[in-house]
Structures are given as C-alpha cells and as structure tokens.
Amino acid sequence: MPGVSAGALLELCISTILSIFSGVFSKVFSWSKGTCGVTNSLVSDANSQSEQSKDLDVTTPTSVNYHFTRKCNYKCGFCFHTAKTSFVLPLEEAKKGLRLLKEAGMEKINFSGGEPFLHDRGDFLGKMVQYCKAELQLPSVSIVSNGSMIKEKWFQKYGDFLDILAISCDSFDDETNQMIGRCQGNKSHIENLFKIRSWCQQYKVAFKINSVINTFNVHEDMTEQINQLNPVRWKVFQCLLIDGENAGEEALREAERFVITDQQFQDFLDHHSAVSCLVPESNEKMRNSYLILDEYMRFLDCREGRKDPSRSILDVGVKDAISFSGFDEKMFLKRGGKYVWSKADMKLDW
Ligand SMILES: C[S@@+](CC[C@H](N)C(=O)[O-])C[C@H]1O[C@@H](n2cnc3c(N)ncnc32)[C@H](O)[C@@H]1O
Ligand code: SF4
C-alpha cells in the first residue's frame, strides 16, 4: 500500500485478524450461552415434568379399607382375613394414621376386620367413625360387618357419623349359613340382617349387602330377598383364595372346597341380572383393586396371591408405604370403586 510502512501494515493485519476472531468468539460464546439457556430450560422443564409425573404416579389413597382387627366371632370357612394376631392399635395411634391418610387425599374410609364391632363392643369403631366424619370431615365413612354384634344403642350414638353400613350375607337359608360358618351358635344370621336393615332406615344410614359366591350358595336364587331388603348396593364377590390366609400351609382356613369357576360365577350373575343394584366382583377385579391397611396400618400387597405387608404408615408415612401396596388404580375405577358414597348425596327415601 502506498505511504504505509511494512510495520504499520503488519499491525493493521494483526488487529483485523484479532477483531475477526473476537467477533467470531463472541458469536460462538453468545450462541453457546443461548443454547445452554435453551438446554437448561429444556432440562429444567423435563425435570419439573418428571417431578410432576412422579407425583402423578404416586397413588392417592382416595378410598381405604382399614382392617383394624383380625379377631372375629364367626367362622366363615372361606375367610381371607383371619385371626393371625389379636393386635389392635391404641385409639390415638389409629386416629393419627387416619389423619395422615386424610392429608394424603383420602376421601372414603371403610372399617373392616375381622369383625369390627367386636373390639370394645363397638365403641372403638364408633369413636373412629365419629372422628372421621366430625373431625376429618371425610365425604364417606363406611363399615363392613357380619352384623351379629350391632346394638340399636350404637346407631343412636354413632349413626349420624356413618354413611354406609354393609352387612355380609351369603345365603338366605340359615342351614347354608351354618355350613359356611357364617354364624355364631344357633342364632339366625338372616333375622339379624333384617333387624339391622330396619335400624339403617330408622337412623338414616345407607344399607349395603356383601355376598361371597361359593360352592354352597352358587345355585341359590337370592332375587326376592335382595329386592325386599333393597340395599343401595349388592356386592357379589367370587370366592377368592389368598395364600397364608385361606390357602397354603400357614393358613388358618382352607377355602379350596368353597372355590367356584369363572363360568359358575358368571352363571350366578346371569341368573340375577334383573337385580339392578348388583355390583359383581370376579377374582380378577377384586385381587389388587383395594387399598388394604392391616391392624398395624401397613398396606397389604396381594399381587403375588398372598398379603405382603409394607411398613406402617405410622413409621414411614403414607407416600412411602403406599408404593408397596400393589394397588391397581385402573382396576379400582373399572370395578366402579368410585361412586356416590356420601349419604348426603344419595337422595335416599328414608
Ligand atoms: C373379611 S370380611 C370382614 C368384615 C366382616 N367380618 C364381614 O364378614 O363382613 C370383609 C368382606 O370380605 C368378604 N370375604 C371374606 N372372605 C372372602 C373370600 N375368600 N373371597 C371373597 N370375599 C371374601 C366377606 O364376606 C366380607 O364381605
Ligand atoms: S368373613 Fe366371616 S370369619 Fe371372616 S371376618 Fe367376616 S364374619 Fe369373620
């Protein structure tokens, strides 16, 4: 270049090269910053999504069955929740667990057993029922019972706090009930059932019936009596075997002789198809579709055909324990597990 010294030319070249480099460098840097930003936000979005889906994956204990006692005064030969311990939690501990469940999303509690009216002559049960309705304000509080220990006084004291009472009855023939073991001494299970039905009417508690279909009742026609009793729901179970409860070496009952085939169960259902309140539960539907808490407040996982306990919700909390429950939420919904379960919403003709 004319008038420019070789040194100045070299300086110009170096500064041009430097400026080009710096431009390229800053561009690359800004892209990489930008890309990182995008990547970071994608990563954080993905993280929060997986957190959310993890939260969605966590089972909500919407409807829980608390078998707080295993003791019973009946001897049903097919029973799948047997008296393997005589343990019952102290009332304050049980209430603590119930509160934890409510905080985790419980809307319905069902008290079962063993026979729930046996312990403390039904007062322990009554206090939990009252606590769940009056303090925890659960939409639905229910009980499943054989009915033999229920007194009218119990309804007077606790009836207001109870939405649904289910009484189990597998036959309308007392001889068959005797053969099954659904009885205590010579008392008539059926007479008692009708008495409780009228108390439910009188004290405004929704009345439900549970029946286990087995070899002894599979040919019985129950249509007339069910229509007469007019329950809000008639749950019809296919007799289920659970290893360690009513099958296998460690079991207290041997229920094999009660078991019916899927076809026999279907025939029973077909025979009763005119009964509109009938809700069928085959073995397949029943096995994993209940959230079951045992007497220590441990969830019981039935997936392996036995009842494998989690740790207690009182020790590890609901979220931890429930991940070992084996609960099949889809099947719970498929079997109609969610229904109108507050008596206030049932529009019953009391
Ligand atoms: C274990 S009991 C406890 C509550 C109360 N003692 C009663 O019999 O209603 C709960 C429900 O499970 C039903 N059940 C018992 N053994 C069964 C089995 N092997 N298969 C299906 N249902 C069964 C009972 O008939 C009852 O309706
Ligand atoms: S099913 Fe029969 S033996 Fe089992 S807990 Fe209920 S009443 Fe007792």
Side-chain angles (χ1 to χ4, degrees):
M1 255 185 243
V4 178
S5 71
L9 192 62
L10 184 66
E11 211 175 293
L12 181 70
C13 278
I14 289 174
S15 93
T16 310
I17 288 168
L18 274 179
S19 101
I20 289 169
F21 261 119
S22 118
V24 169
F25 181 76
S26 83
K27 201 74 181 164
V28 167
F29 183 69
S30 92
W31 283 344
S32 67
K33 237 171 69 182
T35 313
C36 273
V38 170
T39 314
N40 276 345
S41 86
L42 280 179
V43 168
S44 76
D45 271 8
N47 276 346
S48 75
Q49 264 172 25
S50 89
E51 281 302 312
Q52 274 172 12
S53 67
K54 249 197 262 161
D55 275 353
L56 286 176
D57 281 351
V58 173
T59 307
T60 305
T62 314
S63 175
V64 177
N65 296 276
Y66 178 24
H67 295 247
F68 65 89
T69 178
R70 283 180 170 270
K71 284 175 78 178
C72 188
N73 58 327
Y74 273 22
K75 298 177 210 65
C76 310
F78 51 64
C79 183
F80 63 15
H81 205 82
T82 55
K84 296 170 87 173
T85 79
S86 56
F87 182 79
V88 178
L89 276 171
L91 184 61
E92 287 313 309
E93 288 293 293
K95 282 184 179 175
K96 199 168 126 191
L98 292 165
R99 179 168 287 283
L100 291 177
L101 288 161
K102 156 85 193 204
E103 284 163 4
M106 176 169 70
E107 292 172 35
K108 179 181 192 289
I109 182 78
N110 178 49
F111 295 104
S112 186
E115 176 45 45
F117 282 88
L118 203 55
H119 188 61
D120 200 15
R121 294 185 178 162
D123 244 15
F124 184 88
L125 172 65
K127 283 172 186 159
M128 286 197 293
V129 164
Q130 182 167 1
Y131 177 73
C132 285
K133 190 49 99 179
E135 297 269 326
L136 299 183
Q137 312 225 313
L138 291 184
S140 183
V141 181
S142 67
I143 300 171
V144 183
S145 163
N146 64 33
S148 63
M149 311 286 293
I150 308 178
K151 303 275 179 283
E152 188 172 3
K153 267 201 165 147
W154 194 95
F155 278 93
Q156 290 165 347
K157 209 166 165 187
Y158 301 113
D160 278 353
F161 308 109
L162 184 64
D163 290 279
I164 307 167
L165 176 61
I167 302 295
S168 298
C169 179
D170 316 307
S171 173
F172 290 94
D173 171 21
D174 266 331
E175 244 176 65
T176 308
N177 285 326
Q178 291 279 342
M179 285 194 288
I180 289 173
R182 171 88 59 208
C183 57
Q184 186 180 21
N186 291 326
K187 285 189 236 161
S188 167
H189 184 71
I190 300 158
E191 260 177 42
N192 201 44
L193 175 72
F194 276 85
K195 188 173 69 187
I196 292 171
R197 204 289 166 245
S198 65
W199 284 337
C200 282
Q201 180 91 12
Q202 194 179 336
Y203 294 98
K204 300 186 176 11
V205 173
F207 176 73
K208 188 175 151 184
I209 299 176
N210 284 4
S211 301
V212 178
I213 309 311
N214 61 81
T215 46
F216 291 85
N217 63 5
V218 68
H219 299 299
E220 194 171 320
D221 184 343
M222 307 186 188
T223 310
E224 193 189 320
Q225 292 89 342
I226 294 292
N227 283 339
Q228 199 182 339
L229 286 159
N230 191 24
V232 288
R233 267 161 95 83
W234 179 30
K235 276 272 192 99
V236 174
F237 304 122
Q238 180 181 5
C239 183
L240 180 67
L241 288 183
I242 300 276
D243 205 54
E245 293 283 354
N246 60 8
E249 279 182 12
E250 315 256 290
L252 297 179
R253 295 279 198 284
E254 283 177 20
E256 280 87 353
R257 67 197 175 98
F258 290 88
V259 170
I260 55 167
T261 63
D262 291 350
Q263 187 56 54
Q264 283 177 301
F265 184 60
Q266 190 54 53
D267 291 345
F268 182 91
L269 298 179
D270 292 345
H271 203 82
H272 292 85
S273 57
V275 184
S276 59
C277 60
L278 192 160
V279 180
E281 261 174 51
S282 61
N283 285 177
E284 191 214 354
K285 269 195 191 162
M286 192 178 195
R287 193 171 284 113
N288 305 317
S289 68
Y290 285 83
L291 266 177
I292 307 170
L293 269 187
D294 76 355
E295 66 276 23
Y296 302 100
M297 287 196 153
R298 305 178 301 184
F299 285 108
L300 298 178
D301 178 351
C302 300
R303 278 176 300 184
E304 298 298 323
R306 42 175 203 265
K307 288 178 170 170
D308 292 326
S310 70
R311 294 178 68 194
S312 171
I313 63 167
L314 296 170
D315 294 331
V316 297
V318 175
K319 206 170 168 181
D320 239 25
I322 212 167
S323 61
F324 292 92
S325 66
F327 178 59
D328 183 344
E329 201 162 14
K330 277 196 194 120
M331 192 54 98
F332 164 73
L333 295 171
K334 191 173 161 189
R335 73 161 165 84
K338 233 178 162 174
Y339 57 98
V340 179
W341 52 31
S342 299
K343 65 178 170 184
D345 300 331
M346 284 182 196
K347 298 183 183 78
L348 288 173
D349 188 8
W350 298 112

